Amino acid sequence: MLNYRARSVQELRGKLLDAEFEAEVIDEVIADLERADLLDDEKFALEWVYQRHNRRGKTRLVLDHELADKGISPAIRARALDQIDDDDEAELAQALATKKAKKVKRIDDRAGYDKELRKIVGVLARRGFGQGMALRYAKQALDERCDELEVDPR
């Protein structure tokens, strides 16, 4: 399991319990892995946030929930999430909105504009961006796309 990716203590404990190992054995294995520096919740959280933010475009809010589900303490989660600042999230929101807006081929009227805007906001909302930020970057990206298409549906 540790060859594939790092694991949290809770994840590993759960997998070993599912495999029906005795609690005493599990505790010994986890202690040995921690001593050997092969199991460390802080390192796991730092790497998880780095990878999931940079490769998957996850926001702090989503990553915080994922880490909590993996049994990471609030203090460790906070330190790991400090890697992402507001500028990083704004840049990510803008990139995602622009990518989605590029797929728009035509907009004929205000209803079409609103429909495309909802789609872009939905993409950002599913990634964990707040409503205000999602709407701001979705409008910006869609307006830029309308300029490229030389249409003014508003």
Side-chain angles (χ1 to χ4, degrees):
M1 281 181 48
L2 296 176
N3 282 338
Y4 176 67
R5 70 165 172 83
R7 304 283 175 171
S8 69
V9 171
Q10 179 179 303
E11 273 186 296
L12 186 58
R13 185 179 304 281
K15 293 288 185 183
L16 293 174
L17 283 170
D18 290 346
E20 298 182 4
F21 285 94
E22 293 181 24
E24 292 173 4
V25 172
I26 293 171
D27 290 340
E28 287 178 31
V29 167
I30 287 175
D32 285 346
L33 290 171
E34 287 176 327
R35 277 191 298 277
D37 204 28
L38 295 172
L39 191 62
D40 182 322
D41 277 354
E42 182 133 15
K43 286 180 183 177
F44 167 79
L46 288 167
E47 184 63 22
W48 185 265
V49 168
Y50 178 80
Q51 294 292 335
R52 304 278 288 175
H53 176 72
N54 290 320
R55 292 194 178 155
R56 300 269 178 108
K58 302 284 184 165
T59 62
R60 284 182 293 216
L61 178 66
V62 169
L63 291 168
D64 188 45
H65 285 101
E66 289 179 355
L67 290 173
D69 289 345
K70 297 195 175 299
I72 305 300
S73 73
I76 292 174
R77 291 194 323 253
R79 285 193 297 276
L81 293 167
D82 280 345
Q83 297 176 79
I84 305 169
D85 62 23
D86 292 339
D87 292 340
D88 292 334
E89 287 212 334
E91 187 178 309
L92 178 59
Q94 185 176 23
L96 289 169
T98 299
K99 181 179 178 182
K100 183 66 176 172
K102 291 282 185 199
K103 294 180 180 179
V104 174
K105 299 299 179 208
R106 85 183 238 202
I107 298 176
D108 296 322
D109 55 14
R110 180 62 192 207
Y113 178 90
D114 291 344
K115 178 181 174 185
E116 296 300 334
L117 184 63
R118 283 191 302 276
K119 288 180 185 179
I120 298 169
V121 168
V123 165
L124 296 175
R126 285 187 294 279
R127 293 289 180 99
F129 292 100
Q131 184 177 8
M133 179 183 272
L135 186 57
R136 178 174 56 248
Y137 287 109
K139 277 185 174 183
Q140 178 184 340
L142 190 56
D143 289 346
E144 289 172 6
R145 183 63 179 153
C146 286
D147 290 344
E148 291 172 4
L149 296 172
E150 298 179 355
V151 295
D152 186 9
R154 292 164 271 141

